[in-house]
Amino acid sequence: MQRAAGSLGRIGPNAIIQLAAVLGDRAGAAPVRRLFEAAGLPHYLDTMPQEMVDEQEVRALHATLRAQFGVACAQALARAAGRRTAGYLLEHRIPRPLQWLLPRLPKPLAVRLLLRIIERHAWTFAGSGAFCAVYGRPARLGIAHNPLCRGLQSELPSCDFYAGTFEALFRALIDPAAKVREVTCEALGDRACVFEVDW
Ligand SMILES: [Zn+2]
């Protein structure tokens, strides 16, 4: 796996913005305030980040989410935040012609292209982690030294924010029935977080 070039351990702000949006929609403003205050990020309650953020802030926010809501609920919220992040990417970042083209290509070609696109943008979501994508059926996306579950020990794979983002992208661009499962996770003591995509 290759470490992101020039990585400073920063992650796109959607990992914070979309989590706040999901929690706000489902539970209201008070739990959002409690979460951000407990995570040491109360300054974002007034103005959400607009630029890449320190990966430690994202890690703290997602760890605090687990502590406050329990694993199952935190997983569902993080996955929904990932889906919203994919929605943002489709709306603002992924060119429309590409969105038109990908679902019309033969799937093996479309999947290869999407994996390359995700790989090229790994610096925006993997922080100081090392990302790689391998074509196959299932396709595999891996993050080693994953900043989002660093220091975390869990009984279950814990990187639902990524799983939700990848799954929504594959559903929109490859196949509406695509599924993403995190099959190994550093929070379980595995060597890397690996997400399998089938469609
Ligand atoms: Zn993981």
Side-chain angles (χ1 to χ4, degrees):
M1 289 193 185
Q2 209 174 16
R3 195 169 280 268
S7 171
L8 297 169
R10 299 184 78 77
I11 292 181
N14 275 301
I16 289 178
I17 296 169
Q18 304 303 345
L19 187 58
V22 165
L23 185 56
D25 281 357
R26 295 188 181 187
V32 176
R33 176 164 295 280
R34 276 198 297 278
L35 174 67
F36 277 73
E37 285 175 349
L41 303 170
H43 47 288
Y44 287 145
L45 291 166
D46 292 330
T47 311
M48 282 287 147
Q50 304 299 315
E51 312 276 334
M52 303 275 288
V53 297
D54 185 330
E55 67 188 15
Q56 296 298 342
E57 295 184 348
V58 181
R59 194 197 60 74
L61 191 66
H62 284 252
T64 306
L65 184 77
R66 274 187 291 271
Q68 289 190 338
F69 290 86
V71 173
C73 190
Q75 281 181 317
L77 290 164
R79 199 154 180 122
R83 284 196 296 270
R84 284 180 77 124
T85 297
Y88 172 89
L89 298 174
L90 291 162
E91 187 65 33
H92 298 286
R93 293 280 184 261
I94 300 175
R96 300 280 166 190
L98 191 63
Q99 295 192 38
W100 181 88
L101 178 67
L102 280 175
R104 289 166 173 80
L105 291 175
K107 287 207 170 32
L109 177 58
V111 170
R112 282 184 172 89
L113 279 174
L114 181 55
L115 292 176
R116 291 306 309 274
I117 291 165
I118 293 173
E119 201 164 48
R120 219 171 46 233
H121 291 86
W123 65 276
T124 65
F125 61 81
S128 61
F131 178 85
C132 77
V134 179
Y135 176 77
R137 188 144 191 203
R140 291 192 172 85
L141 302 98
I143 304 174
H145 314 292
N146 183 346
L148 283 203
C149 65
R150 193 165 295 151
L152 179 71
Q153 289 183 325
S154 173
E155 305 286 303
L156 294 167
S158 297
C159 305
D160 297 88
F161 175 73
Y162 289 131
T165 307
F166 297 148
E167 185 170 87
L169 288 175
F170 272 82
R171 285 185 177 178
L173 298 170
I174 304 295
D175 189 313
K179 279 195 181 357
V180 170
R181 218 160 47 91
E182 189 180 12
V183 292
T184 67
C185 181
E186 290 180 350
L188 302 175
D190 293 319
R191 290 166 57 103
C193 297
V194 174
F195 303 85
E196 283 189 355
V197 192
D198 212 344
W199 57 89

